[in-house]
Amino acid sequence: VQLQASGGGLVQAGGSLRLSCAASGGFWSIGDMGWYRQAPGNERDLVATITRSGVTNYADSVKGRFTISRDNAKNTVYLQMNSLKPEDAAVYYCNAGVSSAASRYRFRDYWGQGTQVTVSS
């Protein structure tokens, strides 16, 4: 299973970016998906998660500015980031719980490679 993240880049404060993360490879089902971020010297923190049925959860720092969504047919999760602030700058990682045909109800965590988001003030 591979998670391929894209969409990062450099944006001015107040601007927007949209991250995408597509899962590929041999798997049975994808459960929860999410985005996390890690700034230099900091731990990796949760940004937002979404269940397969679309229930979302956000870090307080991004509520009202970021929107997570997913397309189950495309095995893809998105993160729309609006009103970006310099403190949003980080490497953003996507995460997915994935089950296999051999173990259909046991989900294992997979991580994407990370995509850099830089916000200039």
Side-chain angles (χ1 to χ4, degrees):
V1 177
Q2 291 187 331
L3 298 181
Q4 182 67 45
S6 61
L10 171 64
V11 64
Q12 288 188 333
S16 298
L17 282 175
R18 188 189 194 213
L19 307 183
S20 300
C21 178
S24 62
F27 54 84
W28 180 256
S29 178
I30 300 177
D32 294 354
M33 303 183 82
W35 291 95
Y36 293 72
R37 66 187 181 187
Q38 187 169 20
N42 291 353
E43 296 183 349
R44 189 174 298 187
D45 294 325
L46 179 146
V47 175
T49 61
I50 185 168
T51 68
R52 186 169 181 83
S53 61
V55 177
T56 59
N57 178 57
Y58 295 93
D60 288 343
S61 60
V62 306
K63 283 180 180 177
R65 300 187 299 122
F66 291 11
T67 301
I68 189 170
S69 61
R70 65 189 284 173
D71 185 333
N72 291 331
K74 296 181 179 180
N75 300 316
T76 300
V77 62
Y78 306 95
L79 185 68
Q80 177 66 43
M81 305 185 292
N82 298 329
S83 303
L84 281 160
K85 305 175 180 180
E87 52 263 42
D88 294 318
V91 178
Y92 282 69
Y93 297 91
C94 60
N95 170 271
V98 181
S99 69
S100 66
S103 185
R104 299 178 181 181
Y105 302 104
R106 179 170 296 178
F107 291 84
R108 174 185 170 184
D109 266 351
Y110 287 86
W111 292 88
Q113 83 283 9
T115 184
Q116 178 72 50
V117 171
T118 304
V119 184
S120 63
S121 57

